[in-house]
Amino acid sequence: MKPSDTDLKSACEALGRTDPALAKAYEICGLPIWRDRPVAYETIATTIAYQQISVKAAAAIWARVKDAFGEITPQAITGASEEALRGCGLSRPKIKHMTSVAEACLTGELDLNRLIAAPSDAARDELLRVKGIGPWTAELFLLYARGEMDAFPTADLGLMEAHKRLSDAENRMTKDEFTSHAERWKPWRGVAAHLLWAWLHHDRSGDATPA
């Protein structure tokens, strides 16, 4: 699920009027490609695997997980040994979190169909009640799987670094400062995130296609 190009264009133009850094990102990259992901356990598991490591390292680990288990379902993860998962490069805490979320899906504690139909706040609360899902993971699921234009991973270091560089600032904002600054982007903080990610990719590779 993702917003329409018309809605994205309107949001980008409004954000550009609010924040010069976002105006610059939009001018350079144009309309960002939305990171659309399926409403599935694998979307949450992937997010957990990518936490706190580089995109390159996470992609290599996740490729090994996919090679080893194929479709990443709750059944596949709960049925796998820790040794097999560790062999793919996953850390013990990430294995614990992925397994906890898989068990919640199997017991019905976390119902993804119910989650998609629920209001935003209720969906967020249901995600955060599950052990292994923190605010960053919950916001990314809302952003990717529900297409929430205001979902926002506030502590994302990539976003903070992109904004610093686009602003020509000497120092990166703290987490609290960045969270406070992002309040001016409501109700399009998720679009702002996509603009910043698009600019990061452009800066690294010379084009605006997301990784």
Side-chain angles (χ1 to χ4, degrees):
M1 183 186 300
K2 59 183 179 180
S4 69
D5 285 351
T6 299
D7 288 343
L8 278 177
K9 185 175 185 294
S10 296
C12 287
E13 290 172 351
L15 288 165
R17 292 190 294 270
T18 301
D19 191 319
L22 297 181
K24 186 175 179 181
Y26 184 41
E27 181 181 359
I28 292 169
C29 301
L31 207 64
I33 298 173
W34 196 267
R35 298 183 175 193
D36 189 26
R37 300 290 186 270
V39 181
Y41 166 76
E42 184 170 343
T43 294
I44 300 175
T46 305
T47 304
I48 292 171
Y50 273 67
Q51 286 177 345
Q52 298 177 333
I53 58 175
S54 72
V55 171
K56 184 177 180 180
I61 291 169
W62 196 247
R64 290 195 289 270
V65 174
K66 294 283 286 182
D67 285 345
F69 300 101
E71 184 180 2
I72 308 303
T73 63
Q75 292 85 350
I77 296 303
T78 56
S81 68
E82 181 176 324
E83 181 180 10
L85 292 167
R86 288 276 292 164
C88 296
L90 291 166
S91 66
R92 285 192 174 89
K94 289 184 178 182
I95 292 169
K96 184 178 180 180
H97 293 160
M98 287 170 60
T99 301
S100 175
V101 176
E103 290 170 347
C105 289
L106 292 173
T107 62
E109 178 188 355
L110 180 63
D111 185 323
L112 297 181
N113 290 325
R114 180 176 65 226
L115 201 69
I116 289 304
S120 296
D121 288 344
R124 182 178 288 103
D125 288 345
E126 180 166 347
L127 286 163
L128 292 174
R129 281 196 296 269
V130 177
K131 188 174 181 180
I133 298 180
W136 189 79
T137 301
E139 293 298 322
L140 287 183
F141 183 83
L142 296 174
L143 196 66
Y144 296 163
R146 284 180 48 124
E148 294 271 357
M149 294 177 74
D150 197 43
F152 189 66
T154 55
D156 190 288
L157 291 178
L159 298 181
M160 295 165 68
E161 179 64 18
H163 192 272
K164 181 197 81 123
R165 293 167 63 190
L166 282 162
S167 303
D168 294 322
E170 184 175 347
N171 298 308
R172 191 166 65 199
M173 293 183 197
T174 66
K175 174 185 171 182
D176 288 344
E177 288 170 343
F178 190 61
T179 300
S180 178
H181 182 86
E183 287 291 306
R184 70 189 65 184
W185 301 338
K186 287 184 174 181
W188 303 292
R189 289 177 300 173
V191 182
H194 277 83
L195 278 171
L196 293 172
W197 281 323
W199 181 84
L200 269 179
H201 188 84
H202 171 88
D203 187 61
R204 290 167 180 164
S205 65
D207 64 63
T209 304

